[in-house]
């Protein structure tokens, strides 16, 4: 067994340790809008659900050259965002949207994804995504060194849009139809087609 003290690793080695060990990670394709109205959509895999009641989720957004990434800045400015779930059909467009575009360029225009108006928040949803979660900012916690800060963004889901055919009895989501994509280490991804069922013990 190797014993690794994160403090003695380089930034890259810490990054590789986390993204290779905590796998697979879901991908939040986050749409936002800036104070001057430019739309933005970018993927984040430091993403998870936190609680069902209230319906909270978290997305951790880093910085670029010490400055908040556009999505972080937009969420801080407007207090709103939409998490669009990534499935196989929009995988390539999600990857394209992760490029470093200047703040005045909309990734919707660059990728050809279709913005559709949200109902409770200002940022548009991604039409091609099978599940879209409209969120208001619950809390933004700034973490880490001021030279390379990260924002832990906690959002409350105020409205969910789910494609009809994916919404099954009792409110279950059809995983086969959803075809979600997950992120692994390096540049690797996983499909979610290899699943198995195992009931929890009763006591
Ligand atoms: C699958 C995937 C997952 C990513 N996850 C994160 C993440 O969790 N946090 C982060 O800061 N950047 C992450 N990135 C990089 C951002 O998407 C990238 O920096 C993007 O340009 C940010 O856009 P923005 O400046 O418009 O917010 C990820 C990229 C990809 C392709």
């Amino acid at each position: 067994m190797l014993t690794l003290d994160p403090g003695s690793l380089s930034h890259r080695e810490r990054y590789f340790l986390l993204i290779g060990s905590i796998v697979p990670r879901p991908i939040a394709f986050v749409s936002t809008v800036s104070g001057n109205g430019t739309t933005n959509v970018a993927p984040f895999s430091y993403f998870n659900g936190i609680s069902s009641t209230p319906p909270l989720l978290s997305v951790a957004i880093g910085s670029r050259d010490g400055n908040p990434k556009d999505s972080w800045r937009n969420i801080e400015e407007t207090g709103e965002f939409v998490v669009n779930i990534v499935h196989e059909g929009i995988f390539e467009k999600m990857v394209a949207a992760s490029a470093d575009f200047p703040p005045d360029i909309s990734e919707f225009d660059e990728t050809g994804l279709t913005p559709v108006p949200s109902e409770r928040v200002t940022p548009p949803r991604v039409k091609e995504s099978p599940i879209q979660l409209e969120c208001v900012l619950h809390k933004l916690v700034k973490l880490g060194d001021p030279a390379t800060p990260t924002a832990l963004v906690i959002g409350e889901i105020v409205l969910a849009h789910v494609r009809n055919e994916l919404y099954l009895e009792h409110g279950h989501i059809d995983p086969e139809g959803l075809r979600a994509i997950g992120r692994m280490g390096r540049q690797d991804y996983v499909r979610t087609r290899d699943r198995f069922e195992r009931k929890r013990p009763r006591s």
Side-chain angles (χ1 to χ4, degrees):
M1 243 4 205
L2 281 175
T3 306
L4 303 169
D5 176 347
S8 60
L9 300 177
S10 67
H11 169 77
R12 280 178 82 74
E13 288 164 339
R14 271 193 297 275
Y15 173 65
F16 293 154
L17 176 65
L18 264 80
I19 69 158
S21 304
I22 303 171
V23 289
R25 293 182 306 289
I27 303 171
F29 202 18
V30 174
S31 41
T32 56
V33 64
S34 70
N36 70 16
T38 307
T39 54
N40 187 297
V41 59
F44 298 95
S45 68
Y46 281 161
F47 160 53
N48 226 312
I50 298 178
S51 108
S52 315
T53 308
L56 298 177
L57 54 77
S58 68
V59 185
I61 307 179
S63 44
R64 204 183 281 117
D65 307 323
N67 299 310
K69 291 186 182 179
D70 299 340
S71 306
W72 168 355
R73 211 194 40 252
N74 292 351
I75 291 170
E76 213 165 21
E77 275 176 21
T78 65
E80 297 178 334
F81 60 103
V82 179
V83 169
N84 303 277
I85 300 300
V86 174
H87 75 140
E88 293 177 25
I90 57 170
F91 172 73
E92 288 298 339
K93 293 191 171 187
M94 177 278 292
V95 174
S98 74
D100 287 350
F101 295 106
D104 56 332
I105 298 289
S106 171
E107 288 83 358
F108 280 103
D109 297 336
E110 296 300 313
T111 60
L113 288 163
T114 315
V116 282
S118 294
E119 292 177 35
R120 302 265 174 92
V121 298
T122 310
R125 304 175 274 144
V126 174
K127 185 178 180 201
E128 292 80 1
S129 168
I131 300 181
Q132 308 134 359
L133 307 171
E134 297 187 24
C135 297
V136 296
L137 181 61
H138 175 79
K139 191 174 266 189
L140 189 152
V141 185
K142 281 184 197 155
L143 302 167
D145 186 328
T148 54
T150 289
L152 175 63
V153 173
I154 300 176
E156 174 160 0
I157 302 167
V158 292
L159 202 64
H161 306 265
V162 181
R163 265 191 206 152
N164 291 336
E165 66 275 18
L166 297 181
Y167 202 69
L168 307 180
E169 72 291 343
H170 310 302
H172 290 292
I173 304 291
D174 172 20
E176 184 62 30
L178 182 58
R179 304 228 149 181
I181 291 281
R183 177 91 195 263
M184 305 290 289
R186 294 180 181 262
Q187 312 281 353
D188 294 341
Y189 294 86
V190 277
R191 298 183 185 87
T192 47
R193 298 187 200 181
D194 177 16
R195 300 180 305 277
F196 59 96
E197 185 184 271
R198 175 73 167 88
K199 290 198 168 49
R200 279 173 73 179
R202 281 188 177 273
S203 60

